[in-house]
Amino acid sequence: MFRKLIRHPRTQAAMARSLGAYLAFCYRTTRWSLVGQEHLAVFARRNEPMIIAFWHERLPMMPMLWTVTHRLHPETKDWQPHVLVSQHRDGRFIGEIVSRFRLAMLYGSTSRGGATALRSMLRVLREGSPVVITPDGPRGPRRKAAEGVAQLAALSSVVIVPTAAATLRHRLLPSWDRMMLPLPFTRGVLVCGPPIRVSRGDTALAVAAIETALDAACDAADGWVADPASQNSRPL
């Protein structure tokens, strides 16, 4: 009975609203810094599309990146970041949470029904807006990238910007990806790594480079919250 109740659409919608409000509260009460702003700025200033990638485990903190981007680069006010989420119930639940942060949803997968998702993402990029992907989502394996993100970069000739986030106070959830849930009243960091370009016919090799870059972004974020004074960052 309880399982049926929590899976009911109205219950899911209420839970999504509550969790979205909680994350918004965490964002407002956290002192954020930005590492690697130059990797984002070069495309934001020209209003060029990009593919933002991060591991699924950092998803609860990443909407803050768009708040920061719009604040630092008013010229991106017409950007409409689109997030690829699974058509599964869990993906739609995540979509309802993050949609309050000026993010549009693309429902699909880089594996199941990948062709439809790929066409949708190519259309968004052609229209000039960024696409946001978790290459190991929605169900893993953890920190193993699907080839779809490399294929998208090759077909669109758009760069992949590897990103991550971390907060000093957080909880690691007992999920397949060990998701990091932020807590309020703390310090946090957003990390943007050097852009990755993928040539056509080079997607298989590019996957390893993407995984390495995303791991490096997470390591940089975790290192920053452990010792902010040792990192080159911009307070926000």
Side-chain angles (χ1 to χ4, degrees):
M1 180 68 180
F2 178 72
R3 182 174 297 179
K4 184 177 180 180
L5 176 63
I6 64 175
R7 289 181 176 178
H8 191 279
R10 289 185 180 177
T11 306
Q12 292 267 304
M15 291 170 61
R17 286 194 298 271
S18 298
L19 187 51
Y22 169 77
L23 291 177
F25 178 69
C26 289
Y27 299 161
R28 288 195 303 270
T29 59
T30 297
R31 290 178 292 154
W32 292 95
S33 292
L34 178 62
V35 173
Q37 180 194 354
E38 67 277 9
H39 301 311
L40 188 67
V42 66
F43 303 101
R45 288 170 184 155
R46 297 196 297 252
N47 241 330
E48 292 184 8
M50 66 182 76
I51 301 166
I52 298 293
F54 50 86
W55 290 135
H56 195 271
E57 67 199 62
R58 307 297 166 121
L59 179 60
M61 295 163 290
M62 296 311 301
M64 186 64 195
L65 179 62
W66 299 111
T67 300
V68 169
T69 299
H70 289 308
R71 184 189 308 162
L72 295 179
H73 301 284
E75 61 271 27
T76 65
K77 61 181 175 60
D78 294 327
W79 258 6
Q80 180 60 72
H82 285 64
V83 183
L84 180 66
V85 294
S86 168
Q87 298 183 61
H88 187 269
R89 181 179 61 249
D90 294 345
R92 293 188 175 274
F93 179 69
I94 290 173
E96 289 186 27
I97 294 170
V98 301
S99 61
R100 69 174 288 155
F101 302 107
R102 298 176 63 187
L103 296 166
M105 299 301 111
L106 288 173
Y107 290 100
S109 170
T110 52
S111 53
R112 293 184 179 179
T116 301
L118 186 62
R119 286 194 296 270
S120 297
M121 290 185 289
L122 285 170
R123 173 183 53 78
V124 170
L125 292 171
R126 283 196 300 268
E127 292 171 353
S129 287
V131 165
V132 182
I133 299 178
T134 56
D136 60 341
R139 294 190 172 184
R142 180 177 184 259
R143 294 198 177 189
K144 293 295 181 182
E147 196 170 339
V149 62
Q151 293 171 342
L152 177 63
L155 290 172
S156 64
S157 299
V158 171
V159 300
I160 300 170
V161 179
T163 63
T167 56
L168 180 60
R169 297 181 66 243
H170 62 265
R171 291 287 182 269
L172 296 180
L173 302 183
S175 54
W176 65 266
D177 58 352
R178 304 174 208 165
M179 182 172 281
M180 182 181 287
L181 182 68
L183 297 175
F185 305 108
T186 187
R187 295 193 309 266
V189 67
L190 301 160
V191 174
C192 297
I196 301 170
R197 290 196 179 273
V198 181
S199 303
R200 296 199 182 197
D202 194 29
T203 55
L205 290 175
V207 169
I210 292 166
E211 290 177 349
T212 298
L214 293 179
D215 286 345
C218 286
D219 290 343
D222 294 341
W224 188 95
V225 295
D227 186 11
S230 67
Q231 306 292 324
N232 182 21
S233 62
R234 170 175 179 164
L236 300 171

